[in-house]
Protein backbone atom coordinates (compact mmCIF):
# COMPACT_ATOMS: atom_id res chain seq x y z
CA UNK A 1 0.00 0.00 0.00
CA UNK A 2 1.13 3.54 -0.58
CA UNK A 3 0.59 6.79 -2.37
CA UNK A 4 -1.08 6.82 -5.78
CA UNK A 5 1.10 7.01 -8.86
CA UNK A 6 0.90 10.34 -10.74
CA UNK A 7 -0.81 9.06 -13.88
CA UNK A 8 -3.78 10.31 -15.84
CA UNK A 9 -7.02 9.75 -13.97
CA UNK A 10 -8.72 6.44 -14.72
CA UNK A 11 -12.16 7.72 -13.70
CA UNK A 12 -13.47 8.13 -17.29
CA UNK A 13 -12.46 4.55 -18.11
CA UNK A 14 -13.98 3.32 -14.86
CA UNK A 15 -17.28 5.03 -15.65
CA UNK A 16 -17.25 3.47 -19.12
CA UNK A 17 -16.61 0.05 -17.56
CA UNK A 18 -19.47 0.51 -15.09
CA UNK A 19 -21.84 1.70 -17.84
CA UNK A 20 -21.00 -1.37 -19.94
CA UNK A 21 -21.52 -3.61 -16.92
CA UNK A 22 -24.95 -2.04 -16.30
CA UNK A 23 -25.94 -2.54 -19.94
CA UNK A 24 -25.11 -6.25 -19.74
CA UNK A 25 -26.86 -6.51 -16.36
CA UNK A 26 -30.10 -5.08 -17.77
CA UNK A 27 -29.79 -7.58 -20.61
CA UNK A 28 -29.54 -10.40 -18.07
CA UNK A 29 -32.53 -9.02 -16.16
CA UNK A 30 -34.59 -9.22 -19.35
CA UNK A 31 -33.31 -12.52 -20.73
CA UNK A 32 -32.95 -14.72 -17.61
CA UNK A 33 -36.27 -16.59 -17.21
CA UNK A 34 -38.39 -15.42 -14.30
CA UNK A 35 -37.58 -17.16 -10.99
CA UNK A 36 -34.56 -18.94 -12.52
CA UNK A 37 -32.19 -16.77 -10.50
CA UNK A 38 -30.89 -18.29 -7.23
CA UNK A 39 -33.49 -17.93 -4.45
CA UNK A 40 -35.62 -15.44 -6.43
CA UNK A 41 -38.99 -16.92 -5.38
CA UNK A 42 -37.95 -17.07 -1.72
CA UNK A 43 -36.57 -13.53 -1.74
CA UNK A 44 -39.68 -12.01 -3.32
CA UNK A 45 -42.00 -14.06 -1.14
CA UNK A 46 -40.28 -12.93 2.05
CA UNK A 47 -40.65 -9.28 1.00
CA UNK A 48 -44.32 -9.95 0.21
CA UNK A 49 -44.74 -11.73 3.54
CA UNK A 50 -43.42 -8.67 5.39
CA UNK A 51 -45.71 -6.42 3.34
CA UNK A 52 -48.86 -8.54 3.73
CA UNK A 53 -48.42 -9.80 7.29
CA UNK A 54 -46.62 -6.77 8.74
CA UNK A 55 -44.08 -8.90 10.60
CA UNK A 56 -40.93 -10.96 10.13
CA UNK A 57 -40.99 -14.72 9.77
CA UNK A 58 -39.86 -16.66 12.82
CA UNK A 59 -36.09 -17.26 12.43
CA UNK A 60 -35.34 -20.90 11.78
CA UNK A 61 -32.44 -22.96 10.51
CA UNK A 62 -34.99 -25.34 8.97
CA UNK A 63 -37.42 -24.84 6.11
CA UNK A 64 -40.63 -23.39 7.46
CA UNK A 65 -44.20 -23.43 6.20
CA UNK A 66 -45.54 -20.35 7.97
CA UNK A 67 -48.19 -19.48 5.38
CA UNK A 68 -45.70 -20.32 2.65
CA UNK A 69 -42.45 -22.03 1.84
CA UNK A 70 -40.06 -19.50 3.42
CA UNK A 71 -36.49 -20.78 3.73
CA UNK A 72 -35.41 -17.13 4.00
CA UNK A 73 -36.17 -17.08 7.72
CA UNK A 74 -32.57 -17.93 8.54
CA UNK A 75 -31.32 -14.71 6.89
CA UNK A 76 -31.02 -11.27 8.54
CA UNK A 77 -34.08 -9.18 7.59
CA UNK A 78 -32.28 -5.92 6.71
CA UNK A 79 -32.20 -6.37 2.92
CA UNK A 80 -35.81 -7.55 2.77
CA UNK A 81 -37.00 -4.55 4.80
CA UNK A 82 -34.90 -2.17 2.68
CA UNK A 83 -36.38 -3.56 -0.54
CA UNK A 84 -40.00 -3.25 0.62
CA UNK A 85 -40.34 0.35 -0.73
CA UNK A 86 -39.07 -0.88 -4.12
CA UNK A 87 -41.59 -3.72 -4.02
CA UNK A 88 -44.46 -1.32 -3.33
CA UNK A 89 -43.13 1.31 -5.74
CA UNK A 90 -43.31 -1.20 -8.58
CA UNK A 91 -46.92 -2.02 -7.70
CA UNK A 92 -46.10 -5.56 -6.64
CA UNK A 93 -48.26 -5.16 -3.53
CA UNK A 94 -51.30 -5.22 -5.84
CA UNK A 95 -50.55 -8.73 -7.12
CA UNK A 96 -53.30 -11.28 -6.66
CA UNK A 97 -52.30 -14.91 -5.98
CA UNK A 98 -53.63 -17.66 -8.23
CA UNK A 99 -54.27 -21.35 -7.53
CA UNK A 100 -51.11 -23.43 -7.72
CA UNK A 101 -52.76 -26.33 -9.51
CA UNK A 102 -51.68 -24.93 -12.88
CA UNK A 103 -49.26 -27.50 -14.30
CA UNK A 104 -47.21 -24.70 -15.83
CA UNK A 105 -46.54 -23.43 -12.33
CA UNK A 106 -43.27 -25.36 -11.99
CA UNK A 107 -40.56 -25.30 -14.62
CA UNK A 108 -37.95 -27.05 -12.49
CA UNK A 109 -38.90 -30.46 -11.10
CA UNK A 110 -35.37 -31.44 -10.16
CA UNK A 111 -35.87 -31.52 -6.40
CA UNK A 112 -35.17 -34.95 -4.96
CA UNK A 113 -36.79 -36.84 -2.13
CA UNK A 114 -35.03 -38.75 0.60
CA UNK A 115 -34.35 -41.59 -1.82
CA UNK A 116 -32.72 -39.15 -4.29
CA UNK A 117 -35.44 -39.95 -6.82
CA UNK A 118 -36.57 -37.05 -9.02
CA UNK A 119 -39.98 -35.87 -7.92
CA UNK A 120 -42.91 -35.87 -10.33
CA UNK A 121 -45.03 -32.79 -10.95
CA UNK A 122 -47.91 -34.29 -8.95
CA UNK A 123 -45.63 -34.95 -5.99
CA UNK A 124 -44.26 -31.41 -6.05
CA UNK A 125 -47.76 -29.90 -6.25
CA UNK A 126 -48.85 -32.08 -3.31
CA UNK A 127 -46.26 -30.49 -1.02
CA UNK A 128 -47.21 -27.60 1.34
CA UNK A 129 -47.64 -24.61 -0.93
CA UNK A 130 -47.85 -20.88 -0.56
CA UNK A 131 -50.84 -18.63 -1.04
CA UNK A 132 -48.23 -16.05 -2.03
CA UNK A 133 -46.58 -17.95 -4.87
CA UNK A 134 -47.31 -17.00 -8.46
CA UNK A 135 -47.60 -18.70 -11.80
CA UNK A 136 -44.38 -19.47 -13.64
CA UNK A 137 -44.25 -20.93 -17.11
CA UNK A 138 -46.60 -20.12 -19.97
CA UNK A 139 -47.34 -16.65 -18.59
CA UNK A 140 -43.87 -15.44 -19.63
CA UNK A 141 -45.27 -14.94 -23.12
CA UNK A 142 -48.38 -13.10 -21.97
CA UNK A 143 -47.75 -10.19 -24.36
CA UNK A 144 -47.78 -7.51 -21.67
CA UNK A 145 -44.33 -6.20 -22.63
CA UNK A 146 -40.82 -6.47 -21.21
CA UNK A 147 -41.30 -4.01 -18.34
CA UNK A 148 -45.08 -4.08 -17.82
CA UNK A 149 -47.32 -6.37 -15.82
CA UNK A 150 -46.21 -8.67 -13.02
CA UNK A 151 -43.30 -10.08 -15.01
CA UNK A 152 -42.12 -6.60 -15.93
CA UNK A 153 -42.13 -5.68 -12.23
CA UNK A 154 -39.80 -8.57 -11.46
CA UNK A 155 -37.44 -7.56 -14.27
CA UNK A 156 -37.38 -3.96 -13.00
CA UNK A 157 -36.78 -5.22 -9.48
CA UNK A 158 -33.78 -7.16 -10.78
CA UNK A 159 -32.16 -3.91 -11.92
CA UNK A 160 -31.63 -2.96 -8.25
CA UNK A 161 -29.08 -5.79 -8.15
CA UNK A 162 -27.29 -4.26 -11.14
CA UNK A 163 -27.01 -0.95 -9.28
CA UNK A 164 -25.56 -2.66 -6.22
CA UNK A 165 -23.16 -4.50 -8.51
CA UNK A 166 -22.02 -1.23 -10.07
CA UNK A 167 -21.36 0.22 -6.61
CA UNK A 168 -19.38 -2.91 -5.72
CA UNK A 169 -17.17 -2.39 -8.79
CA UNK A 170 -16.47 1.23 -7.90
CA UNK A 171 -15.64 0.19 -4.33
CA UNK A 172 -13.33 -2.54 -5.63
CA UNK A 173 -11.47 -0.03 -7.82
CA UNK A 174 -11.12 2.45 -4.96
CA UNK A 175 -9.73 -0.32 -2.76
CA UNK A 176 -7.32 -1.63 -5.39
CA UNK A 177 -5.97 1.75 -6.44
CA UNK A 178 -4.88 2.41 -2.83
CA UNK A 179 -3.56 -1.13 -2.31
CA UNK A 180 -1.68 -1.21 -5.63
CA UNK A 181 -0.78 2.46 -5.78
CA UNK A 182 -1.81 2.64 -9.44
CA UNK A 183 -5.22 3.56 -10.85
CA UNK A 184 -4.63 1.89 -14.23
CA UNK A 185 -3.66 -1.49 -12.77
CA UNK A 186 -6.60 -1.28 -10.39
CA UNK A 187 -8.83 -0.71 -13.41
CA UNK A 188 -7.61 -3.91 -15.10
CA UNK A 189 -8.36 -5.98 -12.00
CA UNK A 190 -11.77 -4.32 -11.66
CA UNK A 191 -12.54 -5.18 -15.28
CA UNK A 192 -11.70 -8.83 -14.60
CA UNK A 193 -14.13 -8.75 -11.68
CA UNK A 194 -16.84 -7.09 -13.79
CA UNK A 195 -16.82 -9.90 -16.32
CA UNK A 196 -16.82 -12.74 -13.80
CA UNK A 197 -19.69 -15.01 -14.95
CA UNK A 198 -21.21 -15.28 -11.48
CA UNK A 199 -21.22 -11.51 -10.97
CA UNK A 200 -22.73 -11.02 -14.42
CA UNK A 201 -25.49 -13.53 -13.77
CA UNK A 202 -26.35 -12.31 -10.26
CA UNK A 203 -26.56 -8.71 -11.49
CA UNK A 204 -29.69 -9.70 -13.43
CA UNK A 205 -31.53 -11.48 -10.60
CA UNK A 206 -33.38 -10.59 -7.38
CA UNK A 207 -30.66 -11.15 -4.79
CA UNK A 208 -29.04 -9.56 -1.76
CA UNK A 209 -25.63 -10.99 -2.70
CA UNK A 210 -24.55 -7.87 -4.61
CA UNK A 211 -25.72 -5.67 -1.73
CA UNK A 212 -23.29 -7.65 0.43
CA UNK A 213 -20.60 -7.19 -2.23
CA UNK A 214 -21.17 -3.41 -2.32
CA UNK A 215 -21.12 -2.96 1.47
CA UNK A 216 -18.15 -5.32 1.72
CA UNK A 217 -16.25 -3.39 -0.95
CA UNK A 218 -16.91 -0.08 0.79
CA UNK A 219 -15.77 -1.60 4.09
CA UNK A 220 -12.50 -2.81 2.53
CA UNK A 221 -11.94 0.58 0.90
CA UNK A 222 -12.41 2.31 4.26
CA UNK A 223 -10.01 -0.17 5.88
CA UNK A 224 -7.17 0.35 3.39
CA UNK A 225 -7.61 4.12 3.56
CA UNK A 226 -7.55 3.90 7.35
CA UNK A 227 -4.36 1.84 7.21
CA UNK A 228 -2.34 3.67 4.55
CA UNK A 229 -4.39 6.54 3.20
CA UNK A 230 -4.48 10.22 3.93
CA UNK A 231 -6.92 12.45 5.73
CA UNK A 232 -8.69 12.08 9.06
CA UNK A 233 -8.29 8.55 10.43
CA UNK A 234 -11.55 8.84 12.36
CA UNK A 235 -13.58 9.21 9.17
CA UNK A 236 -12.11 6.05 7.61
CA UNK A 237 -12.37 4.06 10.84
CA UNK A 238 -16.03 5.07 11.13
CA UNK A 239 -16.64 4.04 7.52
CA UNK A 240 -14.97 0.69 8.10
CA UNK A 241 -17.14 0.02 11.13
CA UNK A 242 -20.41 1.19 9.58
CA UNK A 243 -20.03 -0.74 6.32
CA UNK A 244 -18.84 -3.86 8.13
CA UNK A 245 -21.99 -3.66 10.24
CA UNK A 246 -24.26 -3.15 7.22
CA UNK A 247 -22.63 -6.07 5.43
CA UNK A 248 -23.10 -8.31 8.48
CA UNK A 249 -26.82 -7.53 8.86
CA UNK A 250 -27.45 -8.07 5.15
CA UNK A 251 -26.22 -11.67 5.02
CA UNK A 252 -24.55 -13.87 7.60
CA UNK A 253 -21.40 -14.45 5.56
CA UNK A 254 -20.77 -10.70 5.87
CA UNK A 255 -19.57 -11.46 9.40
CA UNK A 256 -16.23 -12.47 7.86
CA UNK A 257 -15.41 -8.74 7.79
CA UNK A 258 -15.50 -8.49 11.59
CA UNK A 259 -12.10 -10.19 12.14
CA UNK A 260 -10.78 -8.26 9.15
CA UNK A 261 -11.74 -5.05 10.94
CA UNK A 262 -9.57 -6.15 13.87
CA UNK A 263 -6.68 -6.85 11.48
CA UNK A 264 -7.19 -3.41 9.89
CA UNK A 265 -6.94 -1.77 13.32
CA UNK A 266 -3.70 -3.65 14.01
CA UNK A 267 -2.19 -2.62 10.66
CA UNK A 268 -3.33 0.97 11.19
CA UNK A 269 -1.45 0.98 14.49
CA UNK A 270 1.70 -0.17 12.67
CA UNK A 271 1.34 2.85 10.37
CA UNK A 272 0.71 5.23 13.24
CA UNK A 273 -2.93 5.71 12.24
CA UNK A 274 -4.70 4.13 15.21
CA UNK A 275 -5.97 6.39 17.94
CA UNK A 276 -8.38 5.71 20.78
CA UNK A 277 -10.94 7.84 18.92
CA UNK A 278 -10.58 5.94 15.65
CA UNK A 279 -10.79 2.61 17.46
CA UNK A 280 -14.02 3.77 19.11
CA UNK A 281 -15.41 4.89 15.73
CA UNK A 282 -14.60 1.50 14.17
CA UNK A 283 -16.55 -0.25 16.91
Amino acid sequence: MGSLSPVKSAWPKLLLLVATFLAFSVGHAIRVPIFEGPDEPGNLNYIRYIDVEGKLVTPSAKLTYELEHLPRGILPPFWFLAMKPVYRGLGMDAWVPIPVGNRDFFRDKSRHGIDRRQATTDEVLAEPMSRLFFRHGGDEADGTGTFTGALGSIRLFRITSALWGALALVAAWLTLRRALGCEQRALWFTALLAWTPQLQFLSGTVTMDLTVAAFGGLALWSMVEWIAGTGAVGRWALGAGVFTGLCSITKLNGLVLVPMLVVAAFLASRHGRLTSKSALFAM
Side-chain angles (χ1 to χ4, degrees), residues 97-111:
I98 67 165
V100 299
N102 186 329
R103 301 186 69 82
D104 281 338
F105 187 81
F106 284 100
R107 169 172 293 165
D108 183 0
K109 298 182 295 181
S110 61
R111 285 187 290 171

Side-chain angles (χ1 to χ4, degrees), residues 13-26 195 200:
K13 294 179 181 178
L14 176 67
L15 294 177
L16 177 61
L17 172 64
V18 171
T20 306
F21 169 82
L22 286 172
F24 274 81
S25 298
V26 172
W195 305 121
Q200 280 285 309

Side-chain angles (χ1 to χ4, degrees), residues 21 31 37 40 46 67 92 95 165 195 198-199 228 230 249 278:
F21 169 82
R31 297 301 301 169
E40 276 194 317
Y46 194 0
L67 293 182
M92 299 169 86
W95 286 2
W195 305 121
Q198 184 176 18
L199 184 65
T230 59
I249 64 174
S278 65

Side-chain angles (χ1 to χ4, degrees), residues 178-201:
R178 174 60 69 186
L180 300 176
C182 176
E183 292 186 344
Q184 298 296 330
R185 281 185 300 196
L187 185 64
W188 283 111
F189 282 107
T190 305
L192 288 175
L193 175 63
W195 305 121
T196 302
Q198 184 176 18
L199 184 65
Q200 280 285 309
F201 177 69

Side-chain angles (χ1 to χ4, degrees), residues 5 55 107 144 156:
S5 58
K55 63 179 181 178
R107 169 172 293 165
T144 57
L156 287 170

Side-chain angles (χ1 to χ4, degrees), residues 49 57-58 60 62-73 111 124 126-131 133:
Y49 179 84
V57 69
T58 303
S60 173
K62 298 181 180 179
L63 299 183
T64 61
Y65 293 95
E66 187 176 315
L67 293 182
E68 66 280 319
H69 185 68
L70 273 181
R72 306 285 85 192
R111 285 187 290 171
V124 173
E127 293 180 3
M129 291 307 304
S130 168
R131 64 181 176 84
F133 267 112

